């Protein structure tokens, strides 16, 4: 004996869907509106310090700390001209110093971290897992722990008051985070490509340069962007090693506008802070989002 199970009749293709109840549609729209209002309020809360700094750069010195609001009734742009010429050299000189340090740090990290990552991901050698584990442990080592022995070493080498302590260590693969990022990326590249290249007579150098390196552009872009931002915003390391005002970078130069013994130039400092953010905003923001999205998708 067989039992026929009757399935509900299907709607023909192309037939209009039944309308949702009006109350359900209104509730969905209300939830969407509330969600967007909450997100907008959170975004404004996060952006408030930045917007207040921009507003402060357009206010006279006496009114900067008088108004917590963001509305500027009479914008004063002389803070920008005053801040640009306030120090011994124009502010562009210190921007150039920062660009020099950032360029060296980015090149150093790209070269050294990619080579170290290829070795950990593709080459078999003794104690490889132990060395990788030790390298990963250094991620949790605070920078302040090693700053004293590093300063003593660089002082003996005569590198203090130069950009060498800020650039040369980057060519020795000191950033374990970027090495780990690239190791994971290289492990995702099929090893069949290496084997095919090895059959054609390629060694590790050609496999790295002609096969692996072109495929890991997203990881390289992410490394370059984060190195750019972290080096551009670094204050502590640059303050320690740079003592000549003519060699100051942007973060150290901005500190020069604050004087604990006399009146500080808050308006000029805020104006130059806005100027120092422009390179990060113009060049870093678009590539940062693209690099993170590409690497995360990989």
């Amino acid at each position: 004996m067989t039992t026929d199970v009757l399935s509900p009749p299907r709607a023909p293709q192309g037939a209009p869907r039944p309308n949702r109840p009006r109350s359900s549609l209104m509730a969905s729209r209300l939830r969407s509106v509330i969600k967007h209002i909450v997100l907008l309020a959170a975004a404004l809360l996060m952006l408030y310090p930045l917007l207040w700094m921009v507003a402060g750069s357009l206010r006279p010195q006496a009114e900067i700390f008088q108004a917590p609001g963001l509305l500027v009734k009479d914008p004063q742009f002389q803070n920008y001209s005053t801040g640009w010429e306030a120090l011994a050299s124009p502010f562009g000189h210190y921007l150039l110093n920062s660009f020099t340090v950032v360029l060296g740090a980015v090149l150093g990290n790209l070269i050294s971290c990619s080579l170290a990552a290829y070795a950990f991901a593709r080459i078999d050698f003794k104690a490889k897992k132990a060395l990788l584990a030790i390298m990963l442990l250094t991620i949790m080592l605070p920078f302040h722990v090693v700053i004293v022995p590093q300063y003593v070493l660089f002082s003996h080498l005569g590198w203090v008051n130069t950009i060498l302590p800020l650039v040369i260590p980057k060519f020795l693969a000191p950033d374990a985070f970027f090495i780990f990022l690239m190791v994971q990326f290289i492990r995702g590249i099929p090893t069949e490509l290496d084997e095919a290249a090895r059959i054609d007579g390629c060694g590790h150098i050609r496999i790295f340069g002609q096969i692996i390196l072109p495929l890991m552009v997203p990881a390289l872009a992410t490394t370059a962007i984060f190195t750019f931002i972290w080096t551009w915003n670094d204050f502590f390391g640059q303050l320690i090693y740079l003592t000549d005002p003519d060699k100051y970078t942007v973060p150290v130069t901005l500190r020069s506008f604050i004087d604990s013994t006399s009146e500080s130039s808050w308006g000029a400092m805020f104006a130059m802070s806005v100027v120092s953010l422009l390179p990060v905003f113009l060049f870093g923001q678009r590539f940062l989002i693209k690099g993170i999205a590409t690497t995360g998708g990989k």
Side-chain angles (χ1 to χ4, degrees):
M1 180 178 179
T2 59
T3 303
D4 295 333
V5 179
L6 298 178
S7 59
R10 295 182 178 178
Q13 293 184 352
R17 294 183 177 180
N19 294 329
R20 297 173 60 184
R22 188 178 183 82
S23 59
S24 175
L25 185 61
M26 291 296 294
S28 176
R29 288 181 177 177
L30 182 60
R31 285 195 298 270
S32 177
V33 170
I34 294 175
K35 181 178 67 176
H36 282 83
I37 291 175
V38 172
L39 291 175
L40 181 61
L44 289 176
L45 184 63
M46 293 180 63
L47 290 175
Y48 175 77
L50 176 63
L51 298 176
W52 187 87
M53 183 185 71
V54 175
S57 70
L58 299 173
R59 288 181 174 134
Q61 177 82 8
E63 298 179 6
I64 291 178
F65 296 103
Q66 300 296 325
L70 302 176
L71 183 62
V72 181
K73 297 180 180 178
D74 186 18
Q76 304 291 323
F77 291 95
Q78 66 266 24
N79 284 333
Y80 286 84
S81 57
T82 302
W84 189 269
E85 301 291 346
L87 303 176
S89 301
F91 195 76
H93 174 77
Y94 307 106
L95 285 173
L96 183 61
N97 288 346
S98 275
F99 273 117
T100 304
V101 174
V102 167
L103 181 62
V106 170
L107 287 178
N109 263 351
L110 289 179
I111 296 173
S112 61
C113 292
S114 60
L115 287 172
Y118 175 79
F120 280 120
R122 284 293 200 261
I123 301 177
D124 292 327
F125 54 89
K126 290 183 179 179
K128 177 175 140 180
K129 293 183 179 179
L131 291 175
L132 181 61
I134 293 173
M135 183 206 67
L136 293 177
L137 286 176
T138 61
I139 296 178
M140 295 179 285
L141 191 65
F143 168 72
H144 308 84
V145 174
V146 297
I147 190 66
V148 172
Q150 281 185 350
Y151 185 88
V152 173
L153 173 64
F154 295 142
S155 178
H156 282 293
L157 293 174
W159 288 2
V160 175
N161 199 28
T162 68
I163 65 170
L164 296 179
L166 305 173
V167 174
I168 296 301
K170 298 296 183 183
F171 286 87
L172 303 176
D175 291 315
F177 172 76
F178 297 128
I179 298 175
F180 177 70
L181 174 73
M182 294 186 187
V183 166
Q184 295 300 105
F185 196 91
I186 293 175
R187 284 175 176 172
I189 299 175
T191 56
E192 288 80 3
L193 297 175
D194 301 32
E195 296 169 359
R198 199 166 289 111
I199 291 174
D200 291 339
C202 294
H204 282 298
I205 296 178
R206 290 186 63 188
I207 292 175
F208 172 74
Q210 297 181 2
I211 305 297
I212 301 299
L213 201 58
L215 294 176
M216 56 186 297
V217 170
L220 295 174
T222 303
T223 300
I225 291 165
F226 277 106
T227 302
F228 176 87
I229 294 176
W230 292 349
T231 307
W232 185 266
N233 294 330
D234 179 36
F235 172 76
F236 187 60
Q238 298 172 8
L239 176 67
I240 290 176
Y241 292 116
L242 301 178
T243 57
D244 184 1
D246 191 57
K247 298 178 181 177
Y248 279 0
T249 54
V250 169
V252 184
T253 304
L254 291 177
R255 178 65 178 78
S256 303
F257 288 96
I258 303 175
D259 191 344
S260 58
T261 59
S262 61
E263 185 179 4
S264 300
S265 302
W266 295 104
M269 189 192 73
F270 289 155
M272 293 303 100
S273 298
V274 174
V275 172
S276 67
L277 287 177
L278 293 180
V280 179
F281 180 77
L282 293 177
F283 302 107
Q285 184 252 4
R286 181 164 60 94
F287 295 105
L288 174 64
I289 296 175
K290 184 178 180 180
I292 292 176
T294 307
T295 307
K298 188 69 177 178

